[in-house]
């Protein structure tokens, strides 16, 4: 008989090895790194497979940079008005001038319509306004600390009386591009601060409810049910309408932020409560309690780290909701009001058909809202799927 090519070994000769398929795309060291990788790294590995979410994240980062330093990306003072430049249409940016690389826009000339007496703007291809990168312009402060007058794009000849408006002007002759840049800062900061406040409230109240239970849980849950039973839109309208019209821009900004935060914390609180209810009976939590760890250490050192990925995903999805809410209130005149600049305030200029007919570019802030909210939602969906260990 021929010897058995795969003899069965017994006793000390047996060496147990983890099964690694020959067709597996992962090397053995990669498999080992997965076993010891922290949770955040596993989430990142899963998130980067979502190509659309990664692309949306890059767009969100770009929007955040623009909102962080709006003065650098703007071209004119957003509050500066000029009665001679009303409803100028957007001027297209050109890059090639007679075969050479040169930034410029074609100048526009205003002609008074003798019948309607309305100023009509026409593009003159014979007259060019030359631009340059990192040009000097109006002074501003970076983060309120560094004073400078450098802008991404500006006039090549700063002493000339020429002008350019990349997104046109409004009914007061204000530059729409600069106002849109500053409006993104206001709307994003309202969403970020209100979500930060609501997240802190949700973590604290939801954690107390899930960790202690009993009467504490009952009181917090009844309060959440009461807030969730109230219709959100009428509550927003009522609270916003109750704000005195004599308040300053800063006071109105703070009030809108607090209103949005007080209404938006309930969902996260319930999610945190459910996670705490399931975690407080886990072996590692019981072991931490038996070893003499204080409650604060048990909560923040052992229980909270397991929820970081979920909290980040929830926060990412909550920010666009807050941005939409602020835009909605400001558009109706119940939120931020001029001279404040936000997406909603900018869209107030397009509330009537006459403005849209004369200047359709006033609707461009709505496109900015769509892009901002859509990219944040896609990024949040990608983070949520990456943080879910049961998703595929």
């Amino acid at each position: 008989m021929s010897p058995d090519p795969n003899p069965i070994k017994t006793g000390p000769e047996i060496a147990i090895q983890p099964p690694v398929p020959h067709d597996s795309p992962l090397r053995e060291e990669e498999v080992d790194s997965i076993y010891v990788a922290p949770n955040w790294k596993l989430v990142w590995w899963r998130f980067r497979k979502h190509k659309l979410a990664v692309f949306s994240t890059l767009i969100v980062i770009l929007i955040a940079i623009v909102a962080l330093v709006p003065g650098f990306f703007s071209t004119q003072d957003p509050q500066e008005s000029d009665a001679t430049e009303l409803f100028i249409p957007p001027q297209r940016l050109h890059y090639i001038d007679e075969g050479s690389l040169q930034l410029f826009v074609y100048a526009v000339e205003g002609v008074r319509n003798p019948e309607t007496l309305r100023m009509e703007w026409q593009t003159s291809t014979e007259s060019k306004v030359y631009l340059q990168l990192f040009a000097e312009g109006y002074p501003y402060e970076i983060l309120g600390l560094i004073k400078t007058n450098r802008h991404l794009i500006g006039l090549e000849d700063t002493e000339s009386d020429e002008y350019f408006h990349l997104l046109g002007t409004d009914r007061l002759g204000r530059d729409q591009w600069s106002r849109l840049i500053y409006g993104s800062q206001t709307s994003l900061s309202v969403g970020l601060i209100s979500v930060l406040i609501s997240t802190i409230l949700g973590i604290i109240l939801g954690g107390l409810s899930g960790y202690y239970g009993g009467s504490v849980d009952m009181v917090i849950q009844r309060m959440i049910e009461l807030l969730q039973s109230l219709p959100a839109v009428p509550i927003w309208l009522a609270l916003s309408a109750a704000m005195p019209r004599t308040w300053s821009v800063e006071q109105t900004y703070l009030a809108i932020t607090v209103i949005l935060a007080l209404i938006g914390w309930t969902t996260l609180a319930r999610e945190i409560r459910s996670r705490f209810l399931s975690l407080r009976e886990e072996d590692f939590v019981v072991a931490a309690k038996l070893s003499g760890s204080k409650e604060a250490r048990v909560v923040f050192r052992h229980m909270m780290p397991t929820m970081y990925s979920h909290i980040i995903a929830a926060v990412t999805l909550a920010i666009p909701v807050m941005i939409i809410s602020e835009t909605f209130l400001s558009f109706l005149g119940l939120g931020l009001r001029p001279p404040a600049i936000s997406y909603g305030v900018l869209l107030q200029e397009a509330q009537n058909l006459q403005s849209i007919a004369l200047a359709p570019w006033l609707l461009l802030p709505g496109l900015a809202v769509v892009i901002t909210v859509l990219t944040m939602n896609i990024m949040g969906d990608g983070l949520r799927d990456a943080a879910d260990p049961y998703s595929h």
Side-chain angles (χ1 to χ4, degrees):
M1 296 179 61
S2 59
D4 189 352
N6 298 312
I8 299 177
K9 298 181 180 181
T10 60
E13 297 180 357
I14 298 178
I16 301 177
Q17 298 291 338
V20 179
H22 295 289
D23 58 347
S24 174
L26 298 176
R27 298 189 302 270
E28 185 174 353
E29 57 271 17
E30 292 178 340
V31 175
D32 294 338
S33 65
I34 293 176
Y35 290 151
V36 299
N39 185 53
W40 68 268
K41 185 173 289 188
L42 294 175
V43 171
W44 163 244
W45 287 340
R46 292 165 61 88
F47 177 76
R48 67 184 183 184
K49 294 180 181 179
H50 198 315
K51 303 301 182 184
L52 184 58
V54 173
F55 176 76
S56 299
T57 302
L58 297 177
I59 300 298
V60 171
I61 292 174
L62 177 61
I63 295 174
I65 294 174
V66 171
L68 192 63
V69 195
F72 175 72
F73 294 95
S74 63
T75 56
Q76 297 182 24
D77 188 341
Q79 300 291 3
E80 182 180 354
S81 60
D82 191 337
T84 63
E85 300 178 8
L86 309 183
F87 293 130
I88 293 180
Q91 295 173 267
R92 180 185 171 188
L93 191 64
H94 297 267
Y95 307 94
I96 304 298
D97 180 31
E98 298 180 356
S100 61
L101 188 63
Q102 174 66 54
L103 289 174
F104 72 93
V105 296
Y106 289 113
V108 292
E109 298 177 352
V111 178
R112 184 73 64 179
N113 190 314
E115 297 181 359
T116 63
L117 300 180
R118 183 171 62 88
M119 184 69 73
E120 296 180 351
W121 300 94
Q122 299 176 353
T123 301
S124 174
T125 57
E126 299 180 356
S127 179
K128 300 177 182 178
V129 179
Y130 289 98
L131 311 175
Q132 66 177 356
L133 297 177
F134 307 107
E136 295 183 357
Y138 74 93
Y140 65 96
E141 293 182 352
I142 300 177
L143 301 177
L145 301 174
I146 306 174
K147 295 184 178 181
T148 182
N149 63 348
R150 289 290 174 178
H151 300 266
L152 180 62
I153 299 178
L155 293 173
E156 189 176 64
D157 184 7
T158 57
E159 301 298 330
S160 67
D161 57 353
E162 297 175 324
Y163 55 84
F164 71 104
H165 304 284
L166 300 179
L167 294 183
T169 61
D170 61 6
R171 59 185 177 85
L172 297 179
R174 297 172 297 191
D175 183 68
Q176 279 292 95
W177 168 261
S178 301
R179 290 177 62 79
L180 180 61
I181 295 298
Y182 276 89
S184 65
Q185 182 189 52
T186 303
S187 295
L188 263 67
S189 62
V190 168
L192 186 62
I193 296 174
S194 58
V195 166
L196 179 61
I197 297 174
S198 64
T199 300
I200 295 175
L201 288 175
I203 291 175
I204 293 176
L205 296 178
L208 291 174
S209 179
Y211 187 80
Y212 290 104
S215 58
V216 176
D217 182 35
M218 184 187 67
V219 172
I220 295 177
Q221 292 308 306
R222 298 298 81 78
M223 182 171 57
I224 291 176
E225 291 170 359
L226 176 62
L227 289 175
Q228 290 185 338
S229 65
L230 299 174
V233 174
I235 294 299
W236 286 339
L237 297 179
L239 293 176
S240 300
M243 293 186 301
R245 308 293 293 185
T246 57
W247 277 8
S248 64
V249 173
E250 292 78 11
Q251 290 174 316
T252 305
Y253 177 91
L254 180 61
I256 291 295
T257 303
V258 172
I259 290 172
L260 295 176
L262 292 179
I263 296 177
W265 65 272
T266 55
T267 302
L268 180 61
R270 284 206 157 176
E271 294 174 353
I272 295 296
R273 171 185 177 269
S274 62
R275 295 295 294 271
F276 266 72
L277 288 175
S278 61
L279 286 175
R280 68 182 184 180
E281 305 299 334
E282 292 288 339
D283 293 342
F284 69 93
V285 176
V286 175
K289 293 179 180 178
L290 294 176
S291 64
S293 297
K294 296 182 179 180
E295 291 181 347
R297 179 176 177 82
V298 172
V299 171
F300 294 104
R301 181 66 179 86
H302 298 284
M303 300 178 71
M304 286 301 300
T306 64
M307 300 181 231
Y308 285 162
S309 301
H310 177 78
I311 292 174
I312 292 174
V315 167
T316 307
L317 289 172
I319 293 177
V321 176
M322 297 297 183
I323 293 175
I324 288 291
S325 301
E326 181 277 325
T327 303
F328 166 73
L329 292 175
S330 299
F331 177 74
L332 296 179
L334 299 172
L336 297 175
R337 298 183 291 268
I341 307 174
S342 70
Y343 288 150
V345 173
L346 292 175
L347 287 173
Q348 285 183 8
E349 299 291 333
Q351 280 187 341
N352 56 78
L353 294 177
Q354 183 179 5
S355 297
I356 297 176
L358 295 177
W361 54 87
L362 296 179
L363 289 172
L364 288 176
L367 179 62
V369 174
V370 171
I371 294 175
T372 303
V373 172
L374 184 61
T375 52
M376 284 189 173
N377 278 327
I378 295 175
M379 182 181 69
D381 287 338
L383 285 173
R384 182 182 58 191
D385 294 340
D388 184 4
Y390 300 104
S391 65
H392 297 283

